Structures are given as structure tokens and as C-alpha cells.
């Protein structure tokens, strides 16, 4: 009979050790994906800093409207803008007609082909000095800049 009690004790110890091992692996996986997300966001911000210094036609600016205007409703936080002309010290941008409540909503709407609509952006451009564009990026009002490659952004066409 004594060997029965010994084997039960061994099973419990093995079970606790296995649980700790699984928990440790789970924590490593979470840490890995967290680091990947951080590295991806950091690379996007570096790319945005480079693109803001060399604006080109069709660049897409992701705007945090709370930092640009004080009289916004609670749900009107984020918006897109598109560069339509770069002349001398001015950058001409047109704003999107739609406001978004969350940052990920902006990317999701691009992935669902909203920018391909001909009337997504307003027709009247806003001419902003290049120095103001840099200040907007530094303050976080422009939180991301993307340049379409072969007229595609996130796999969808941009008009």
C-alpha cells in the first residue's frame, strides 16, 4: 500500500510542474507578440517621420482631430487627409468626409475600400505651409503617414 501513496504524490508534483511550464510558455508567447506589435508600431512611426519630410502627391495623413480643433463631438476623433499638391513651401491636402471614433476604424475602412470612392475626399484643398505640417506631426495631430505603393494602401486602391 505505501507505494500507492507515493505514486499519487508524484502525479500531483508532475501536474503542478507541467502547469507551471505551460504557463511559462504562454507568458513567453504573449511577450513575443507584444514585442512584435511594439516593433511594428515603432517602424511605422519612423517611416511616418521620413515621409512627412518628403511629401508627395497621394500621401495619406492620419489625423487626430482632437489636437486640431477644440469644438469636436466625442465621436469625431480621427480623419484622413490626402496630399493633392506640393508646391514650394505649401502642401495642398484634401480632407476625408468621414470622421472615425477609433484609430483602428480608420485602417479597417481603408481595408474595406472606402478610399476608392470618388467622393470620399472633399474637392476644395487646404493649403498648409510645410513648417505647419512638421509641427502637426511633432504634436501628434498627424499620427501616421502612409504612401500608397502602385496606388494601393493596405491592399486596396486609393483614388
Amino acid at each position: 500500500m505505501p507505494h500507492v501513496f507515493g505514486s499519487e504524490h508524484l502525479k500531483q508534483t508532475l501536474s503542478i510542474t507541467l502547469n507551471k511550464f505551460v504557463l511559462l510558455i504562454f507568458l513567453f508567447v504573449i511577450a513575443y507578440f507584444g514585442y512584435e506589435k511594439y516593433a511594428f508600431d515603432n517602424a511605422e512611426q519612423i517611416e511616418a517621420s521620413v515621409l512627412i519630410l518628403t511629401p508627395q502627391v497621394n500621401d495619406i495623413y492620419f489625423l487626430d482631430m482632437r489636437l486640431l480643433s477644440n469644438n469636436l463631438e466625442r465621436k469625431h476623433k480621427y480623419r484622413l487627409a490626402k496630399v493633392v499638391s506640393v508646391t514650394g513651401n505649401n502642401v495642398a491636402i484634401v480632407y476625408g468626409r468621414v470622421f472615425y471614433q477609433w484609430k483602428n476604424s480608420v485602417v479597417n475602412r481603408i481595408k474595406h475600400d472606402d478610399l476608392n470612392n470618388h467622393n470620399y475626399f472633399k474637392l476644395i484643398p487646404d493649403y498648409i505651409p510645410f513648417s505647419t505640417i512638421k509641427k502637426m506631426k511633432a504634436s501628434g495631430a498627424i499620427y501616421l503617414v502612409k504612401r500608397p505603393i502602385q496606388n494601393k494602401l493596405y491592399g486596396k486602391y486609393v483614388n
Side-chain angles (χ1 to χ4, degrees), residues 33-95:
F33 285 119
Y35 176 76
E36 286 294 318
K37 174 75 171 142
Y38 169 76
F40 178 75
D41 288 343
N42 194 23
E44 270 192 334
Q45 289 304 318
I46 291 171
E47 178 189 18
S49 298
V50 170
L51 293 178
I52 206 79
L53 296 174
T54 59
Q56 290 183 1
V57 174
N58 289 334
D59 281 356
I60 304 293
Y61 292 166
F62 294 69
L63 304 173
D64 186 345
M65 297 305 290
R66 297 172 298 173
L67 300 174
L68 295 175
S69 178
N70 293 330
N71 57 354
L72 288 177
E73 290 183 29
R74 189 173 170 180
K75 62 182 179 178
H76 295 166
K77 296 178 185 176
Y78 305 104
R79 193 176 194 186
L80 290 173
K82 180 179 175 181
V83 175
V84 292
S85 174
V86 179
T87 56
N89 280 343
N90 290 329
V91 177
I93 62 172
V94 290
Y95 295 101

Side-chain angles (χ1 to χ4, degrees), residues 19 23 33 93 98 137 148 150:
N19 287 341
L23 180 64
F33 285 119
I93 62 172
V98 182
K137 174 65 178 134
Q150 295 179 349

